[in-house]
Amino acid sequence: MSAPIIRSLSELRTLVTGWKSSGETVGVVPTMGALHQGHLSLVQAAKEGCDRVIITIFINPKQFNNPEDYENYPRTENDDARKLAPFGVDAVYVPDGPTMYPEGFATNVSVGGLTDLLCGAHRPGHFDGVATVVSKLFLQSQANRAYFGEKDFQQLQVVTRLARDLDIPIEVVGCPTIREEDGLAMSSRNLLLSDRARTWAPELNAAMEEMADELVMGGNIADLHAKAVARIERAGFTEVEYLDLRACDTLEELTAPTRPARLLAAAWLAGVRLIDNIAVG
Ligand code: AMP
């Protein structure tokens, strides 16, 4: 059965108020559409954890630091509806620009510290855009739980922080990264890769896995970093923006996995920016 598509906030509010007054729990899965198995794994987790599930689809202009990237972002609403049909979600919330940012909209949510590094350092304004739209979606949906992918590990930390800092009564649930068989992390941006570039893309994850294994065996981080970057560039990537070992909780840089650690990377392949991260040890 296909889920009702809801475009206005008042309709969403009416639905959610009804559910909550009957004591039902509500889960929300925020997305920008172009749905793949990664998104659908979040929907599945929400279905298992909550009585009612809302998936939101909004390509948020505020989180694109590059207008061309926003224009090129895949838009596949009909396909998305078809993919969601088997899950029996209770609402697909698809607000338009003016619903999210009406004329005169002047508020910016900015999470300090965590957003100065990694993607935040390379995409000015990106995490303010994320934090602003996610705050709105939390408050609009009044959900009890929100589901996010570890694929965007820094984003997961940022939204967890903002919910805590602003006392938004929502539990942020992180879900594992879903990958293609060749290891490439699923991403809506993979649709933008040419067939040739798609064959090179898994080298990013392969190089990261190799580096993580060698770090666990006590390898020197500078040597391993140089080796991994060389491997990624040899595969056809034009630039490795970052490839860092970071503490899972604070994202501070580490030189060895002496505490729970993650390897995080962003790299450009044929004009497409890919990100990935994996646990180390
Ligand atoms: P996006 O549509 O790219 O904004 O992503 C919406 C949500 O899906 C975010 O919480 C992402 O972290 C999550 N997500 C995207 N790709 C994956 C993946 N491969 N595995 C798990 N979650 C993902």
Side-chain angles (χ1 to χ4, degrees):
M1 200 194 67
S2 53
I5 294 189
I6 287 171
R7 296 189 192 271
S8 79
L9 176 55
S10 58
E11 270 179 285
L12 182 71
R13 283 259 154 87
T14 307
L15 266 181
V16 175
T17 305
W19 296 334
K20 292 191 110 179
S21 64
S22 352
E24 293 179 304
T25 55
V26 179
V28 67
V29 181
T31 80
M32 297 205 297
L35 301 182
H36 50 64
Q37 289 302 323
H39 299 113
L40 299 177
S41 73
L42 305 184
V43 171
Q44 186 58 40
K47 287 286 295 181
E48 285 162 17
C50 307
D51 300 317
R52 299 285 185 172
V53 173
I54 304 164
I55 177 161
T56 75
I57 300 181
F58 178 62
I59 304 178
N60 174 31
K62 284 194 189 294
Q63 73 186 70
F64 286 83
N65 53 314
N66 172 349
E68 211 180 308
D69 189 21
Y70 174 69
E71 290 309 319
N72 292 337
Y73 201 83
R75 288 162 169 82
T76 59
E77 192 175 318
N78 291 339
D79 260 8
D80 291 348
R82 191 177 47 72
K83 287 180 189 164
L84 284 172
F87 289 86
V89 297
D90 298 279
V92 185
Y93 179 50
V94 192
D96 62 9
T99 300
M100 293 305 278
Y101 303 120
E103 206 170 309
F105 185 90
T107 299
N108 184 49
V109 181
S110 191
V111 177
L114 277 178
T115 59
D116 296 338
L117 32 99
L118 301 169
C119 285
H122 292 273
R123 301 183 68 190
H126 167 68
F127 282 118
D128 282 11
V130 170
T132 303
V133 82
V134 166
S135 302
K136 284 187 66 99
L137 292 169
F138 284 179
L139 297 169
Q140 290 181 340
S141 67
Q142 299 164 63
N144 305 89
R145 296 194 188 92
Y147 294 79
F148 288 86
E150 287 180 350
K151 155 79 179 12
D152 299 277
F153 195 78
Q154 188 177 12
Q155 171 175 278
L156 175 59
Q157 311 309 315
V158 169
V159 299
T160 303
R161 183 80 260 160
L162 88 80
R164 255 184 231 157
D165 287 354
L166 299 180
D167 303 316
I168 302 178
I170 196 163
E171 179 193 351
V172 174
V173 182
C175 301
T177 301
I178 305 297
R179 298 179 180 279
E180 303 286 357
E181 271 179 20
D182 57 16
L184 176 66
M186 290 192 185
S187 165
S188 306
R189 285 203 160 80
N190 295 350
L191 292 175
L192 304 174
L193 293 171
S194 67
D195 289 349
R196 259 180 96 206
R198 173 64 189 80
T199 64
W200 306 333
E203 274 296 283
L204 176 61
N205 178 249
M208 291 171 73
E209 290 287 355
E210 182 181 50
M211 181 170 170
D213 287 347
E214 293 180 13
L215 278 168
V216 170
M217 291 187 296
N220 173 277
I221 187 147
D223 296 345
L224 296 177
H225 182 274
K227 183 171 144 190
V229 168
R231 178 172 175 182
I232 294 163
E233 291 180 348
R234 241 187 352 263
F237 283 76
T238 46
E239 187 197 344
V240 177
E241 263 184 12
Y242 62 80
L243 171 59
D244 289 4
L245 183 69
R246 300 262 172 180
C248 285
D249 47 0
T250 59
L251 298 183
E252 74 192 84
E253 199 155 9
L254 302 176
T255 52
T258 44
R259 49 195 263 213
R262 221 130 177 129
L263 201 55
L264 300 103
W268 287 86
L269 176 60
V272 181
R273 185 176 183 276
L274 299 180
I275 59 171
D276 201 350
N277 70 88
I278 56 174
V280 178

